[in-house]
Amino acid sequence: SRKNLCINPDVNVSASTPTSKINSRCLDLNKDSKSCCSFKSSISNQQSFRDHVLLSISDIEDLVTTGNKINACPYYGARSTVPAAEIVTLPYHSLFHDQTRQALGIDLRNQIVIVDE
């Protein structure tokens, strides 16, 4: 979620910032390509993020660290890796909620799903 992955200090102000506020700020900031979030706007940084993340299995902390290092948005960067990924890990609700899964571009047909309690 943006709450866990956003590295823009203007959007994710503090650990206590509500998720709904982070989502709204992010969406508002990215409505217009001219005022787009600086962490999302660089296509080369996003591509570099995607390429780096696809080299190994990453957890949320790894995505945030990579985003900070490359100056790229971990939230949108992680979403861009899904089509090329061989393994995708995600929270239960993202897997079992149709609309979320579709928004992430995850198609479960002919896939192996492992659920770890």
Side-chain angles (χ1 to χ4, degrees):
S1 72
R2 288 178 179 92
K3 173 94 174 147
N4 296 318
L5 293 172
C6 180
I7 59 172
N8 186 331
D10 297 329
V11 175
N12 198 352
V13 179
S14 72
S16 62
T17 306
T19 301
S20 60
K21 204 168 220 174
I22 293 170
N23 288 340
S24 294
R25 285 180 182 161
C26 178
L27 292 170
D28 288 345
L29 188 60
N30 290 298
K31 274 183 187 173
D32 183 5
S33 61
K34 293 177 184 169
S35 66
C36 186
C37 174
S38 61
F39 294 97
K40 183 184 176 213
S41 62
S42 170
I43 292 175
S44 65
N45 287 6
Q46 287 296 318
Q47 289 171 339
S48 179
F49 178 90
R50 183 197 63 221
D51 294 345
H52 183 80
V53 168
L54 286 172
L55 291 175
S56 62
I57 296 174
S58 303
D59 62 16
I60 290 173
E61 291 81 13
D62 296 331
L63 297 175
V64 170
T65 299
T66 301
N68 279 314
K69 196 181 309 180
I70 296 174
N71 204 33
C73 175
Y75 176 76
Y76 286 103
R79 289 181 67 158
S80 74
T81 65
V82 171
E86 292 180 9
I87 297 173
V88 176
T89 59
L90 61 155
Y92 296 122
H93 68 276
S94 298
L95 176 65
F96 295 119
H97 188 258
D98 288 337
Q99 292 172 334
T100 303
R101 202 172 53 247
Q102 289 171 3
L104 293 171
I106 296 173
D107 183 1
L108 296 179
R109 288 177 286 179
N110 299 317
Q111 302 298 322
I112 296 171
V113 176
I114 299 171
V115 178
D116 180 17
E117 297 180 56

Short mmCIF file of all heavy atoms in Angstrom, two decimals, residues 92 114-117:
data_model
loop_
_atom_site.label_atom_id
_atom_site.label_comp_id
_atom_site.label_asym_id
_atom_site.label_seq_id
_atom_site.Cartn_x
_atom_site.Cartn_y
_atom_site.Cartn_z
N TYR A 92 -3.01 -10.97 1.93
CA TYR A 92 -4.18 -11.78 1.63
C TYR A 92 -5.28 -10.99 0.93
O TYR A 92 -5.84 -11.44 -0.06
CB TYR A 92 -4.79 -12.37 2.91
CG TYR A 92 -3.92 -13.32 3.65
CD1 TYR A 92 -3.57 -13.09 4.97
CD2 TYR A 92 -3.45 -14.49 3.05
CE1 TYR A 92 -2.77 -13.97 5.68
CE2 TYR A 92 -2.65 -15.37 3.74
CZ TYR A 92 -2.32 -15.11 5.05
OH TYR A 92 -1.52 -15.98 5.73
N ILE A 114 0.28 -19.94 -3.54
CA ILE A 114 0.66 -20.52 -2.26
C ILE A 114 0.23 -19.53 -1.17
O ILE A 114 0.61 -18.36 -1.20
CB ILE A 114 2.18 -20.76 -2.18
CG1 ILE A 114 2.61 -21.74 -3.28
CG2 ILE A 114 2.58 -21.25 -0.79
CD1 ILE A 114 4.11 -21.88 -3.43
N VAL A 115 -0.58 -20.02 -0.24
CA VAL A 115 -1.03 -19.19 0.87
C VAL A 115 -0.31 -19.65 2.13
O VAL A 115 -0.40 -20.82 2.51
CB VAL A 115 -2.57 -19.29 1.05
CG1 VAL A 115 -3.03 -18.46 2.23
CG2 VAL A 115 -3.27 -18.87 -0.24
N ASP A 116 0.41 -18.74 2.74
CA ASP A 116 1.15 -19.06 3.96
C ASP A 116 0.47 -18.37 5.12
O ASP A 116 0.32 -17.16 5.14
CB ASP A 116 2.59 -18.56 3.81
CG ASP A 116 3.44 -18.85 5.03
OD1 ASP A 116 3.02 -19.70 5.86
OD2 ASP A 116 4.49 -18.23 5.17
N GLU A 117 0.06 -19.17 6.08
CA GLU A 117 -0.59 -18.59 7.26
C GLU A 117 0.48 -18.12 8.16
O GLU A 117 0.53 -17.80 9.20
CB GLU A 117 -1.47 -19.62 7.94
CG GLU A 117 -2.61 -20.05 7.02
CD GLU A 117 -3.50 -21.07 7.69
OE1 GLU A 117 -4.01 -20.79 8.77
OE2 GLU A 117 -3.67 -22.15 7.11
#
